[in-house]
């Protein structure tokens, strides 16, 4: 009897051996044995690198898409950022699918997926991410335009992606190279911090006092996973360093493409203090929060952050004070009451959204060439030739929106050109709208203008009828209930990721 055996490595997650043929001397084939087994050691560096590169590509595509909305405006499903994002997500999803197929083959049952905590987390995250795309299309159909990152379908996609990456990081096994773990951890941190993308790209749609609390929650969630699964010395130092490099590369690529670049991510650098030898994990988390708070203030003071220091300072001072209380008490539990009281006193500001980016919905009325200007001191002007006479009352108006605040100004008509002027605080980018009354209703067009920098720009934009709820209208019962359900699903997925992280962390410690 002789045997024909062999094997090859699939991308990073699996070792696959082709059929083992057992043959007697007379040439009769006795049987086939397909052996497919998981290798939590991530034995193929090239394969694992492909998965991580796909994740980083999707991170870049997300920032590129945001910049596309800001600089160009309306879009469609086949713009380059979307295609890159779809492709990257497809690669990650395929890797998880192959991983799951191998486990099912080995266990001869779907129960094998449930018994593997890393795989079950990644599969759940992937399913939720795909479901978020379906939910987003349904949301647009039901409730109209949805130009906010924090809308339920969008944030559900963020939560699903985070869970998927947690699962992949958990699936590496304790013998995976520390460098690969660090890259995966940086990808996890970057995905979690997508929650504050609009603040860091100077297109805030909610009060900027939300920025630091959301940044802290996202960063500390990532830290909880990374410290369990990254292993090795100084895990946060390694992860934060890689993440900062990736963000700088993303910013550089966007500049090369002629698009708006995000802030330098100095704010998250404070997480590294969590790697110091603290008396307890609670104290390490408090130290990490205090570190991020300090570096956030420093970022605003140095001008590398778009969020003004006045918006982050109250929260930062509160968090640092809580850290000092925890440090003095020696136990987070003893300081819990103080933390709860302090959090309740933090001013969070208005929750009105700014309706800045238009997602490409609504009937196009006309094409318009707009000219926008800022004097650098808070005076914004927007002019264009539009198919309407603005001499009648309530026919035309100019609005500037930023961080949940809306300012209005005066509109005049001169030589067939509509000219609007509005005064705003000279801080950051404002989305400046001309709204005009046409026979179909109120139409709008807009340009982004930086109120603190002298500039003049001309672009061809569309005058369109905004779809769905107009700015200022309330949320209907169906929208509220649907949003609560989607957010609940997302939070449940994150809780699953944390539970599985603890389970895996104990096994690889």
């Amino acid at each position: 009897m002789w045997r024909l055996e062999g094997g090859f490595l699939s991308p990073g997650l699996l070792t696959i051996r082709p059929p083992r043929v057992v043959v007697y001397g007379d040439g009769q084939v006795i049987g086939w044995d397909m052996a497919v087994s998981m290798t939590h050691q991530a034995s193929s560096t090239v394969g694992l690198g492909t998965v991580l590169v796909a994740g980083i590509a999707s991170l870049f595509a997300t920032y590129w898409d945001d910049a596309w909305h800001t600089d160009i405006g309306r879009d469609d499903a086949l713009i380059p950022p979307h295609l890159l994002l779809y492709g990257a997500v497809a690669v990650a999803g395929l890797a998880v699918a192959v991983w799951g197929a191998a486990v099912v083959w080995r266990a001869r049952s779907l129960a094998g997926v449930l018994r593997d905590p890393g795989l079950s987390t990644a599969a759940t995250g992937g399913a939720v991410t795909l479901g978020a795309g379906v939910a987003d299309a349904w949301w647009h159909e039901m409730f109209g335009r949805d130009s906010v990152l924090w809308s339920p379908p969008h944030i559900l996609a963020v939560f699903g992606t985070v869970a998927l990456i947690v699962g992949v990081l958990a699936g590496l096994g304790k013998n995976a190279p520390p460098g690969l773990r660090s890259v995966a951890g940086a990808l996890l941190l970057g995905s979690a911090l997508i929650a504050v993308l609009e603040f860091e790209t100077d297109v805030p749609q909610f009060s900027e006092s939300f920025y630091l609390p959301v940044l802290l929650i996202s960063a500390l969630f990532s830290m909880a996973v990374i410290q369990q699964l990254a292993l090795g010395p100084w895990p946060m130092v390694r992860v934060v360093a890689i993440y900062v490099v990736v963000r700088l590369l993303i910013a550089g690529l966007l500049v090369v493409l002629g698009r708006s670049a995000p802030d330098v991510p100095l704010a998250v650098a404070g997480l590294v203090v969590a790697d110091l030898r603290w008396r307890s994990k609670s104290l390490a988390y408090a130290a990490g929060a205090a570190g991020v708070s300090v570096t956030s203030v420093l970022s605003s003071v140095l001008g590398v952050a778009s969020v003004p220091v006045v918006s982050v300072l109250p929260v930062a001072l509160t968090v640092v004070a809580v850290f000092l209380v925890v440090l003095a008490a020696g136990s987070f539990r003893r300081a819990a009451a103080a933390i709860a009281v302090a959090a309740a006193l933090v001013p969070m500001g208005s929750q009105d959204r700014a309706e800045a980016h238009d997602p490409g919905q609504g009937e196009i009325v006309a094409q318009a060439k707009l000219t926008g200007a800022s004097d650098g001191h808070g005076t914004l002007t927007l002019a264009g030739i539009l198919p309407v006479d603005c001499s009648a009352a309530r026919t035309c108006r100019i609005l500037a929106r930023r961080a949940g605040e809306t300012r209005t100004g005066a509109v005049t008509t001169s030589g067939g050109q509509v000219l609007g002027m509005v005064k705003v605080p000279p801080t950051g980018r404002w989305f400046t709208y001309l709204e005009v009354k046409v026979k179909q209703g109120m139409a709008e067009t807009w340009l982004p203008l930086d109120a603190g920098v002298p500039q003049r720009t001309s672009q061809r934009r569309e005058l369109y009828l905004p779809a769905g709820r107009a700015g200022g209208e309330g949320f209907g019962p169906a929208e509220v209930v649907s949003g609560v359900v989607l957010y609940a699903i997302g939070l449940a997925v994150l809780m699953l990721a944390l539970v599985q992280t603890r389970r895996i962390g104990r096994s690889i410690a």
Side-chain angles (χ1 to χ4, degrees), residues 9-29:
L9 296 176
S10 75
L13 295 175
L14 306 174
T15 296
I16 302 178
R17 294 185 178 86
R20 184 177 60 193
V21 185
V22 182
V23 184
Y24 280 112
D26 60 0
Q28 183 181 5
V29 177

Side-chain angles (χ1 to χ4, degrees), residues 386-396 413 416 418 436-437:
L386 302 176
V388 66
D389 180 7
C390 289
S391 59
R394 299 182 181 179
T395 303
C396 305
T413 302
V418 177
V436 299
K437 189 174 183 180

